[in-house]
């Protein structure tokens, strides 16, 4: 429950910060706050896996301590809270990595609650105490997969990995007959759907008078086709 509110708080803070107007020296704005939040939420989900396993082992080692009926009620209340928050989060933008990380957190909590409830029911009727550990391992594998997805996409953005296929964009630009080739290409994502690009563009010397029109077309085409909203090109000949 503690990590539950923590994940929501981190995501909410990130939404507030990223919508703030950034001071002059923060030239890329505060947009990355949401990517950082997703990264932190991804990490805490991974940490919660250790907790899930620890709790299952603890229940297995001290089976007499648990009062199954009370534990069931706690698990069911937890599940209901998770489902409600999950539904609220589902209304948000599905491509937003920050909201997605909070949603995955809720989903992970819900899944472990379901596993605990199923475990209790099985233990209640069969006294198979080991079932708890088996379920915890299955849940952990599923949750780890979700968390790794979140971590991978947030790390890619933080490491300035190109969200587009560099070779494809290069070939697309070089299809223009006035452009000989482009090099030193950088494409990065500031935050979701906000792509930037810089490159050196070698142009045909004989068509230098077309320079302005060429630049205009280049920017227009890249925005239309690849959603690259900001470019800086250095022309060479
Ligand atoms: Zn460069
Ligand atoms: Zn160059
Ligand atoms: Zn500019």
């Amino acid at each position: 429950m503690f990590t539950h509110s923590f994940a929501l708080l981190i995501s909410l803070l990130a939404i507030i910060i990223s919508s703030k107007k950034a001071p002059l020296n923060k030239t890329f704005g505060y947009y990355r706050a949401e990517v950082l939040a997703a990264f932190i939420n991804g990490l805490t989900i991974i940490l919660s896996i250790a907790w899930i396993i620890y709790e299952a082992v603890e229940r297995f080692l001290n089976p007499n301590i648990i009062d199954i009926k009370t534990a069931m009620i706690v698990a069911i209340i937890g599940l209901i809270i998770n489902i409600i928050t999950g539904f609220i989060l589902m209304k948000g933008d599905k491509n937003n990595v920050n909201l997605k990380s909070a949603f995955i957190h809720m989903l992970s909590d819900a899944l472990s609650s379901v596993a605990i409830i199923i475990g209790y029911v099985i233990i209640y009727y069969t006294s198979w105490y080991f079932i708890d550990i088996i379920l915890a391992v299955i849940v952990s594998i599923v949750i780890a997969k979700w968390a790794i997805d979140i971590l991978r996409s947030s790390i890619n953005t933080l490491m300035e990995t190109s969200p587009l296929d560099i070779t494809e964009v290069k070939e697309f630009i070089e299809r223009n007959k006035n452009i000989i080739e482009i090099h030193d290409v950088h494409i990065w994502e500031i935050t979701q759907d906000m792509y930037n690009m810089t490159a050196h563009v070698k142009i045909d010397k004989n068509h230098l008078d077309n320079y302005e029109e060429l630049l205009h077309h280049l920017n227009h085409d890249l925005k239309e086709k690849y959603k690259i909203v900001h470019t800086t090109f250095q022309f060479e000949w």
Side-chain angles (χ1 to χ4, degrees):
M1 269 300 114
F2 166 71
T3 57
H4 184 102
S5 348
F6 178 75
L8 286 178
L9 186 70
I10 292 282
S11 290
L12 182 66
L13 272 178
I15 292 171
I16 294 170
I17 292 171
S18 67
S19 65
K20 278 228 157 31
K21 201 180 173 318
L24 223 51
N25 61 343
K26 295 241 175 343
T27 60
F28 288 102
Y30 282 126
Y31 303 108
R32 284 270 173 98
E34 290 208 273
V35 183
L36 267 178
F39 177 71
I40 294 169
N41 281 340
L43 275 186
T44 47
I45 294 171
I46 294 284
L47 289 177
S48 72
I49 290 173
W51 180 248
I52 290 169
I53 300 280
Y54 169 81
E55 278 199 312
V57 172
E58 174 115 320
R59 282 194 301 269
F60 178 71
L61 294 177
N62 309 298
N64 304 320
I65 295 172
I66 45 169
D67 165 7
I68 289 200
K69 279 190 182 130
T70 321
M72 273 282 263
I73 292 168
V74 172
I76 289 171
I77 292 172
L79 181 60
I80 291 169
I81 294 173
N82 282 316
I83 289 173
I84 294 170
T85 16
F87 267 113
I88 296 170
L89 286 168
M90 255 167 65
K91 292 216 169 89
D93 184 351
K94 281 174 188 62
N95 293 319
N96 180 307
V97 73
N98 177 29
L99 287 181
K100 207 163 146 188
S101 73
F103 179 70
I104 292 294
H105 183 104
M106 298 311 124
L107 210 59
S108 306
D109 282 358
L111 186 66
S112 45
S113 299
V114 169
I116 288 172
I117 292 166
I118 292 173
Y120 284 148
V121 171
I122 293 174
I123 289 169
Y124 188 79
Y125 288 107
T126 64
S127 294
W128 291 347
Y129 284 97
F130 62 88
I131 200 76
D132 233 8
I133 293 183
I134 294 174
L135 287 171
V137 169
I138 296 171
V139 165
S140 300
I141 293 170
V142 176
I143 293 176
K145 203 201 152 288
W146 292 338
I148 288 168
D149 277 351
I150 291 290
L151 282 175
R152 183 182 294 135
S153 65
S154 54
I155 288 173
N156 272 338
T157 306
L158 293 172
M159 300 276 285
E160 322 273 358
T161 309
S162 173
L164 302 168
D165 181 341
I166 292 276
T167 321
E168 193 200 309
V169 177
K170 190 167 145 53
E171 280 167 8
F172 174 74
I173 291 174
E174 286 170 352
R175 238 174 270 160
N176 187 309
K177 61 177 180 349
N178 292 321
I179 294 172
I180 297 167
E181 60 99 30
I182 68 165
H183 57 271
D184 199 358
V185 180
H186 300 276
I187 301 173
W188 69 102
E189 184 178 27
I190 292 177
T191 191
Q192 178 201 350
D193 292 340
M194 206 182 275
Y195 298 170
N196 271 23
M197 176 176 185
T198 66
H200 294 191
V201 182
K202 198 155 192 252
I203 53 172
D204 185 347
K205 228 193 326 231
N206 304 316
H207 295 91
L208 277 181
D209 45 336
N210 283 342
Y211 157 80
E212 247 190 282
E213 204 194 321
L214 182 66
L215 186 61
H216 175 82
H217 276 294
L218 205 53
N219 281 325
H220 176 83
D221 294 350
L222 288 171
K223 195 171 176 179
E224 288 281 292
K225 192 163 162 67
Y226 295 109
K227 294 189 294 186
I228 298 174
V229 290
H230 188 266
T231 61
T232 307
F233 293 121
Q234 167 175 309
F235 285 93
E236 299 168 350
W237 48 84

